[in-house]
Amino acid sequence: DTEVTQTPKHLVMGMTNKKSLKCEQHMGHRAMYWYKQKAKKPPELMFVYSYEKLSINESVPSRFSPECPNSSLLNLHLHALQPEDSALYLCASSQEIAGGIYEQYFGPGTRLTVT
Amino acid sequence: AQSVTQLGSHVSVSEGALVLLRCNYSSSVPPYLFWYVQYPNQGLQLLLKYTSAATLVKGINGFEAEFKKSETSFHLTKPSAHMSDAAEYFCAVSELAGTASKLTFGTGTRLQVTL
């Protein structure tokens, strides 16, 4: 199994809703990532989890709350989002392929629309 | 901090023609470089990577890239374009971040393939 899965594929939510995005991998990778990608832009890193601990938060607003319940699962909890948060949210996991070099594998993404 | 620059936000080639997508890097240490492809409404797929083992790197779908230190470049090429190559291509540089990595992406190049 060499894939990262994400659910749901599409999500429409109002600004007062609470929703969650889910990401799963069964490759034994110990690092997982959340990225945000706006249309016609490159992905931007949001969070990094390593060995189930949050290791990087790229100054993301608190209305985005990540969670790593176990080494295979990564969630992104959403609350009180703004329309400008509408984007493709990508999850990735990585393995070390040589000393200090990591290869990241991406999921298909969740297309989020905030109304 | 390391960075990559992709020259040309949009490249158009005829089917069967050479594909050349440009990427230049800025790094004070030997860089680890990646090319990813993104088809519409999908996640990112790894095409190839440079990890200092060989300067000419072959990837999937007939793509290859050559690392040139003197030119600080890692351009992506394919001898003969196919309609299915139409997609967005991202060059990225990887930095070690504890027991994970941080990918910094270029702005992307959209490849159009015409008949």
Side-chain angles (χ1 to χ4, degrees):
Chain A
D1 186 356
T2 58
E3 66 173 349
V4 176
T5 59
Q6 291 186 243
T7 54
K9 288 190 186 307
H10 301 275
L11 179 62
V12 179
M13 61 184 291
M15 289 189 285
T16 59
N17 291 158
K18 286 185 180 181
K19 296 286 185 184
S20 297
L21 309 184
K22 179 180 173 181
C23 173
E24 195 164 3
Q25 58 90 13
H26 294 288
M27 295 178 280
H29 296 173
R30 301 312 300 269
M32 296 185 75
Y33 310 74
W34 280 115
Y35 289 84
K36 174 182 179 180
Q37 186 179 25
K38 300 284 279 184
K40 301 187 188 305
K41 297 289 186 184
E44 295 177 351
L45 183 65
M46 300 174 72
F47 303 103
V48 181
Y49 271 82
S50 180
Y51 289 86
E52 300 159 49
K53 293 190 190 311
L54 183 64
S55 62
I56 297 176
N57 175 343
E58 294 285 88
S59 303
V60 179
S62 60
R63 57 186 184 269
F64 295 91
S65 176
E67 178 196 19
C68 189
N70 59 57
S71 60
S72 300
L73 274 176
L74 187 65
N75 298 320
L76 187 63
H77 302 298
L78 313 172
H79 174 53
L81 294 192
Q82 303 297 309
E84 59 265 29
D85 296 321
S86 298
L88 182 68
Y89 288 83
L90 294 164
C91 175
S93 67
S94 69
Q95 66 172 359
E96 190 173 20
I97 57 174
I101 308 172
Y102 289 79
E103 188 171 292
Q104 292 192 22
Y105 295 80
F106 285 80
T110 293
R111 175 74 60 188
L112 174 67
T113 303
V114 182
T115 61
Chain B
Q2 300 179 60
S3 65
V4 289
T5 301
Q6 292 184 243
L7 293 175
S9 59
H10 184 258
V11 169
S12 182
V13 301
S14 300
E15 191 174 35
L18 171 72
V19 175
L20 171 60
L21 304 182
R22 299 179 187 274
C23 174
N24 288 89
Y25 68 88
S26 174
S27 175
S28 58
V29 297
Y32 302 129
L33 297 163
F34 297 78
W35 274 100
Y36 284 87
V37 60
Q38 186 176 32
Y39 298 100
N41 298 312
Q42 294 188 28
L44 277 68
Q45 181 181 13
L46 179 64
L47 276 177
L48 49 78
K49 57 187 177 284
Y50 170 73
T51 59
S52 75
T55 55
L56 182 61
V57 180
K58 293 189 185 299
I60 62 171
N61 302 340
F63 285 93
E64 63 181 39
E66 186 171 8
F67 176 77
K68 292 187 177 181
K69 185 178 179 180
S70 61
E71 299 177 8
T72 62
S73 69
F74 189 56
H75 301 332
L76 183 70
T77 61
K78 182 173 180 177
S80 177
H82 192 272
M83 296 296 287
S84 60
D85 295 325
E88 188 84 22
Y89 291 80
F90 292 100
C91 180
V93 62
S94 176
E95 295 182 74
L96 184 62
T99 51
S101 64
K102 287 184 69 172
L103 282 176
T104 300
F105 290 91
T107 50
T109 298
R110 179 162 296 277
L111 176 65
Q112 180 182 18
V113 182
T114 59
L115 287 172

